[in-house]
Amino acid sequence: MAYKKGSDRRQRVLFPDCIDEYVEADAPVRLFDAFVDRLKMDELGFIRSTPAETGTPGYNPRDLLKLYIYGYFYQVRSSRKLARECKCNVEVMWLLGKLSPDFRTISDFRKDNKEAITKVYKEFNKFCMGLKLFSKSYISIDGSKFKAVNAKDNNLTLSKLDDRIKRLDEHISIYMEELDAYDHEEGRKLSKDEIQRKLDVCKERKERYEGYRNQLEESGESQISLTDTDSRLMKANEGFCVGYNVQTAVDAESHMIAGFQVTNNPTDHGQITNVASEIKADYDVPVLETTADKGYECPEDHADALANGIIPNVIQRDGGCTEQVQFDYNEATITDEQKASTKPEDLKACLEAGVIPDVYEGILTDAQTAEVKEFATDVVDSAVLKMTPEQMRAKALEGYFVRDAERNLVYCPQGEILRQKSIKRNGMIRYCNKLACKKCKCKCTAQRFKEVDFNKDTLIKATEAKRKQLKEENKDKPKPPRTKVVKKVVRYVLHLDQNKMDNRKCLSEHPFGTMKRTLGQYYFLLKGFAKVSAEMGLFCLSYNLRRAISLRGVLALVAALR
């Protein structure tokens, strides 16, 4: 039996086929076309949304936006690949009316309209809310790491800079010795000019690294990225990567992404209020319930969320269904109107006065006021504030960990510099230097590495051996007085919804899995918060388009747009 035969490529057709016949009636590309045609491009802020009266005609921003939505929906993100699709893809020919802009025009459109592109994602969400696709019952918040346009070698931390500067100092010393001894020895492998050239390179590199270190110490940042300055080194599932921690909020019923926020915070602590506040405004609801995993455990953030009309159902590390939240006590007379209100200012006033608002009845219970005692700065710390860095290092060599609060570093008993590693849940700041501890045989602390914790008011700590020595020397001396500070607080018991917490993984994991694995959107092509947010908007838009099509179908969505 013979095979099916196609048409002859050289055969001429008297009446060409209509290009519309090549695109199926329920093709997603028809939804892209109808959705973009409905947008008010000038209100969204697109450049050249109104054509100029003179000059060479430009491309309609609607056509370029349609091209990008099509590209991100079908995993074609590169401007060069999109330019190729315009010439060989029938659906793109239909979408753009056979226009074929070059890659530079396509790339510049995304770069110049970053804020407007982010708004397009919100416009589609508004359209879906009009169709009641969003249930607005509660949302699930989660974060995931997306790689940035920045290699690990182009990301420098303070500890890495300290180590590189130290090694460069050693190289410079060696080259200086070789130059001094050059005239007295023969048969050397390198010439004098080559040694001088290597020495100049080391000095230039050291000067550059010292500039980066000074910049970080002045700004208070812990690291710097040279390619994408807004990206940060953070831990991901596959190890460490330089990227962004993207927060998404997923609607409980439709599983559509209700909102997102691009951050460079390596952890999820303290993100619930920031993410949910914007969703609450979009949903236009008095109180919004959220759920999140253990990584969002932050009592201060949960208190802020409740004060803003957001109920945080965060999974507890002990597996319980209750959590204690605390507010600074502010004595005030609460009226019935304030108690019944859902305005953030009224909610905060009630919670700080120890009164449970009506909207939180059954959710918050057991309001109790208590006094919290804190100690002021130790007397011994005052002398450290007057020390120079050299004096601090000399003091550390006596058997102390000395903290330079201005530069945010610690000198260890061996004279090495410990940099900030993290801030613990109890507020203690942890300092360490793994590179220096690899070759150090001293047992300054019980930990494997020289990890030492300081609170914000402590500037000096003795090692275990030094502490025993001081205790023996000062056993007959009276202890210096410590000033107590008493603060009044009000505490509540927050009752968490177990069903919502159990359903969290079913909501948050699927969108990230679809974007990263199915669509290949696990990395960004653009740099900087504004551009990365625009690209993330296209990621979320492509996902929500798929969900809307799955829920209603292309034909129903197109009919609703027209």
Side-chain angles (χ1 to χ4, degrees):
M1 183 178 292
Y3 294 109
K4 292 183 178 180
K5 292 185 178 180
S7 302
D8 189 341
R9 296 189 183 96
R10 296 181 296 273
Q11 180 180 349
R12 295 185 180 276
V13 181
L14 182 60
F15 297 105
D17 295 329
C18 175
I19 194 172
D20 188 68
E21 296 178 2
Y22 288 97
V23 180
E24 297 180 357
D26 59 349
V29 68
R30 294 186 181 273
L31 173 60
F32 310 155
D33 182 66
F35 169 63
V36 176
D37 284 344
R38 173 180 169 170
L39 296 176
K40 297 178 181 179
M41 305 297 282
D42 53 344
E43 294 183 4
L44 293 176
F46 280 93
I47 298 175
R48 290 184 288 276
S49 56
T50 302
E53 297 180 358
T54 59
T56 305
Y59 288 97
N60 191 334
R62 292 184 189 274
D63 293 330
L64 297 174
L65 179 59
K66 292 175 185 178
L67 178 61
Y68 265 115
I69 294 176
Y70 182 92
Y72 276 78
F73 190 88
Y74 286 111
Q75 308 159 50
V76 185
R77 298 162 53 194
S78 167
S79 58
R80 293 179 185 270
K81 291 181 179 179
L82 287 172
R84 183 179 180 275
E85 291 292 310
C86 294
K87 299 177 182 178
C88 64
N89 189 314
V90 176
E91 285 190 339
V92 177
M93 292 181 186
W94 177 89
L95 189 63
L96 269 66
K98 291 189 175 181
L99 292 174
S100 56
D102 64 4
F103 75 93
R104 186 69 65 189
T105 302
I106 298 172
S107 176
D108 288 345
F109 172 79
R110 179 172 54 184
K111 177 183 66 178
D112 297 337
N113 296 280
K114 45 189 179 292
E115 290 86 3
I117 290 175
T118 307
K119 295 177 183 177
V120 170
Y121 157 74
K122 285 188 169 292
E123 287 297 315
F124 184 73
N125 278 6
K126 290 179 183 178
F127 164 69
C128 292
M129 288 179 191
L131 297 179
K132 300 188 182 304
L133 292 181
F134 285 88
S135 65
K136 301 183 181 181
S137 56
Y138 70 95
I139 59 174
S140 175
I141 298 175
D142 200 3
S144 185
K145 311 299 192 304
F146 287 74
K147 291 183 179 180
V149 188
N150 199 105
K152 290 182 183 178
D153 289 341
N154 285 335
N155 175 270
L156 301 173
T157 63
L158 283 167
S159 297
K160 191 183 293 185
L161 286 170
D162 289 337
D163 181 63
R164 290 190 181 184
I165 291 173
K166 183 178 179 180
R167 286 191 282 117
L168 284 171
D169 283 334
E170 294 173 357
H171 288 310
I172 290 173
S173 299
I174 293 173
Y175 290 140
M176 292 294 290
E177 291 175 1
E178 289 186 2
L179 283 176
D180 292 339
Y182 187 83
D183 296 331
H184 306 287
E185 299 181 16
E186 295 181 357
R188 302 184 65 85
K189 294 181 180 180
L190 298 176
S191 67
K192 189 173 183 178
D193 291 339
E194 289 174 331
I195 296 174
Q196 185 63 49
R197 192 159 48 248
K198 287 181 176 292
L199 179 61
D200 293 339
V201 170
C202 287
K203 287 182 177 180
E204 185 274 332
R205 191 175 298 170
K206 178 187 175 183
E207 183 180 354
R208 188 168 72 250
Y209 288 156
E210 287 178 338
Y212 292 146
R213 185 172 65 180
N214 293 336
Q215 179 181 342
L216 288 175
E217 289 180 350
E218 291 173 1
S219 64
E221 296 287 339
S222 60
Q223 56 179 285
I224 184 172
S225 297
L226 304 181
T227 307
D228 184 353
T229 56
D230 290 333
S231 62
R232 293 292 180 268
L233 181 68
M234 52 187 68
K235 191 173 183 180
N237 290 335
E238 64 276 7
F240 283 90
C241 73
V242 182
Y244 292 89
N245 184 10
V246 178
Q247 306 289 318
T248 60
V250 181
D251 185 72
E253 298 297 331
S254 65
H255 293 208
M256 298 180 73
I257 300 175
F260 70 89
Q261 190 173 82
V262 178
T263 72
N264 59 7
N265 192 335
T267 66
D268 295 330
H269 298 300
Q271 298 293 333
I272 288 183
T273 305
N274 293 335
V275 178
S277 295
E278 187 176 351
I279 311 302
K280 180 173 176 285
D282 293 340
Y283 276 6
D284 192 21
V285 293
V287 174
L288 176 65
E289 283 204 64
T290 67
T291 181
D293 59 22
K294 300 174 185 177
Y296 290 84
E297 186 179 357
C298 180
E300 295 80 7
D301 182 40
H302 300 173
D304 290 340
L306 289 168
N308 284 276
I310 300 164
I311 302 174
N313 294 292
V314 178
I315 299 175
Q316 301 299 296
R317 295 185 180 275
D318 59 1
C321 292
T322 60
E323 178 189 358
Q324 189 179 79
V325 290
Q326 177 177 296
F327 296 84
D328 291 337
Y329 181 72
N330 184 14
E331 186 175 357
T333 302
I334 302 300
T335 63
D336 292 339
E337 184 180 357
Q338 284 180 299
K339 192 171 182 291
S341 174
T342 57
K343 295 180 180 179
E345 56 270 20
D346 292 331
L347 291 174
K348 185 177 181 181
C350 290
L351 293 171
E352 289 181 347
V355 178
I356 299 177
D358 292 344
V359 72
Y360 290 150
E361 288 291 339
I363 299 173
L364 291 177
T365 60
D366 302 330
Q368 295 179 351
T369 57
E371 291 184 348
V372 179
K373 298 179 180 179
E374 298 178 351
F375 289 101
T377 307
D378 293 338
V379 178
V380 71
D381 291 349
S382 59
V384 179
L385 295 173
K386 303 175 184 179
M387 291 182 181
T388 64
E390 291 76 15
Q391 292 173 329
M392 289 182 184
R393 189 187 295 270
K395 183 67 176 178
L397 294 175
E398 298 177 8
Y400 296 94
F401 290 97
V402 182
R403 174 170 168 252
D404 187 342
E406 184 177 354
R407 297 176 61 195
N408 195 25
L409 57 86
V410 170
Y411 295 100
C412 81
Q414 301 303 313
E416 297 289 348
I417 293 177
L418 311 185
R419 296 287 186 178
Q420 179 179 323
K421 177 184 177 182
S422 61
I423 299 178
K424 300 171 69 176
R425 291 187 184 89
N426 58 5
M428 300 292 283
I429 308 172
R430 173 159 290 181
Y431 296 87
C432 76
N433 187 342
K434 292 185 177 182
L435 296 174
C437 294
K438 285 183 179 179
K439 300 177 182 179
C440 182
K441 298 180 180 179
C442 299
K443 301 296 182 182
C444 303
T445 64
Q447 290 89 346
R448 180 183 175 188
F449 297 105
K450 289 191 184 75
E451 291 183 344
V452 59
D453 296 340
F454 282 79
N455 63 40
K456 60 183 179 63
D457 295 325
T458 304
L459 299 177
I460 187 169
K461 275 189 174 183
T463 62
E464 291 295 331
K466 189 68 175 179
R467 190 178 295 113
K468 292 178 181 179
Q469 178 186 344
L470 293 173
K471 185 177 181 181
E472 185 67 24
E473 293 176 355
N474 301 324
K475 61 181 180 181
D476 297 329
K477 297 180 181 179
K479 294 183 179 180
R482 302 181 70 185
T483 305
K484 291 182 180 180
V485 178
V486 180
K487 182 176 66 172
K488 201 169 185 181
V489 298
V490 56
R491 294 170 179 158
Y492 301 88
V493 174
L494 172 62
H495 295 266
L496 309 175
D497 192 318
Q498 187 64 49
N499 292 330
K500 291 181 174 63
M501 293 190 294
D502 291 341
N503 199 35
R504 182 207 63 82
K505 185 176 288 188
C506 301
L507 299 175
S508 292
E509 304 298 342
H510 184 266
F512 282 132
T514 301
M515 285 189 284
K516 287 188 169 184
R517 299 293 180 257
T518 304
L519 303 178
Q521 298 168 345
Y522 61 90
Y523 62 94
F524 294 115
L525 297 177
L526 306 181
K527 295 178 286 187
F529 271 124
K531 295 178 183 178
V532 165
S533 296
E535 196 167 6
M536 192 65 206
L538 289 170
F539 288 175
C540 296
L541 176 60
S542 64
Y543 176 83
N544 280 359
L545 282 165
R546 290 175 179 273
R547 284 296 304 158
I549 291 172
S550 177
L551 293 171
R552 291 294 178 89
V554 172
L555 296 178
L557 292 172
V558 172
L561 285 166
R562 291 175 176 169

